[in-house]
Amino acid sequence: MATLEIKDLHVSVATDDGAKEILKGVDLTVRAGETHAIMGPNGSGKSTLSYAVAGHPKYEVTSGSVTLDGDDVLAMSVDERARAGLFLAMQYPVEVPGVSMSNFLRTAATAVRGEAPKLRTWVKEVKAAMTELEIDPAFAERSVNEGFSGGEKKRHEILQLALLSPKIAILDETDSGLDVDALRVVSDGVNRFKASGETGVLLITHYTRILRHITPDFVHVFAGGRIVESGGSELANVLESEGYVKYTGSQEAAGV
Ligand SMILES: Nc1ncnc2c1ncn2[C@@H]1O[C@H](COP(=O)(O)OP(=O)(O)OP(=O)(O)O)[C@@H](O)[C@H]1O
Ligand SMILES: [Mg+2]
């Protein structure tokens, strides 16, 4: 059973004024079968956490550790992290002009699975996943994310999730910009992914509405570059009504 363990993680980003520490000691363990939600003010470092775990070169880990089933994630390249079973759906998915969705998905699946999926079964697999996510088949031939609407990009992130079946999925604001129907479709996709009970989900969100579809086992409040409180799903409702002032002292101090 997969376990992602983040211990006392400190991360800096290079800026024009030198290195700036964004994450200031994050401790978090996500086990297979668990869904964790992270909520917190803008600029508190939630996306930085997801990028650092995924291996974005801009984010330097200055201390702490990240392990997946005991293996040192920080020593792995970005590809190795994906092969080890980590998946990140980004807050702002990138566009890749000139590369079709279908080529991209097959290349990604080949990299993660260690061998190219057999064409015949692969086509069926992609079709089934696209149908489940109510994605028009015409998207397969379009360039990755190019000209996709915000909601379409998010739906395609979940398509990747469905096809790559990682051990641990980090979903950064996958619900942002989704209309009510798309929210249901995307949530159903995440719930299907969770259904095996063998995968862990870390869901970064600003809204409780997605948590009504995908029930978190734990909710964490992220402020000032670390987790400042953890609780059960009821904590999300408290945050919705009371905001983050309790944790930040003021709106201004909400960031890092
Ligand atoms: N490359 C960078 N250069 C300068 N500052 C950066 C860089 N990347 C992140 N930061 C800063 O780090 C802080 C945390 O950013 P991050 O994107 O992790 O926040 P967040 O919690 O995801 O916010 P949001 O809820 O708005 O998505 C912000 O103040 C941001 O400006
Ligand atoms: Mg963010």
Side-chain angles (χ1 to χ4, degrees), residues 1 27 34 38 80 112 118 139 148 155 186 214-216 218 220 234 236 241 244 248:
M1 287 298 235
D27 289 293
E34 294 177 351
I38 290 188
E80 286 168 344
V112 166
K118 295 219 168 52
F139 273 94
F148 288 19
R155 223 178 261 227
V186 161
I214 305 168
T215 315
F218 305 94
H220 307 281
E234 72 291 342
S241 59
Y244 300 113
T248 59

Side-chain angles (χ1 to χ4, degrees), residues 115-232:
E115 59 176 357
K118 295 219 168 52
L119 208 49
R120 178 184 271 266
T121 49
W122 173 247
V123 170
K124 273 192 198 149
E125 212 181 318
V126 174
K127 253 195 188 151
M130 287 179 94
T131 306
E132 279 179 336
L133 289 162
E134 297 178 19
I135 293 172
D136 185 327
F139 273 94
E141 297 319 315
R142 284 180 62 176
S143 289
V144 176
N145 287 325
E146 195 181 27
F148 288 19
S149 76
E152 287 165 354
K153 284 181 183 169
K154 299 292 173 175
R155 223 178 261 227
H156 278 83
E157 296 276 290
I158 302 306
L159 176 64
Q160 290 170 49
L161 175 72
L163 292 170
L164 300 180
S165 42
K167 291 180 183 165
I168 303 281
I170 303 175
L171 309 177
D172 192 357
E173 298 202 22
T174 290
D175 52 332
S176 292
L178 294 180
D179 66 42
V180 279
D181 296 327
L183 183 69
R184 177 187 46 76
V185 168
V186 161
S187 303
D188 288 350
V190 175
N191 284 329
R192 270 194 302 278
F193 167 72
K194 282 175 55 175
S196 68
E198 287 169 12
T199 55
V201 176
L202 182 58
L203 195 69
I204 299 170
T205 183
H206 285 292
Y207 307 104
T208 51
R209 58 175 204 161
I210 192 169
L211 303 180
R212 283 193 272 276
H213 294 276
I214 305 168
T215 315
D217 303 294
F218 305 94
V219 173
H220 307 281
V221 183
F222 209 89
R226 61 165 76 94
I227 290 171
V228 292
E229 188 171 345
S230 299

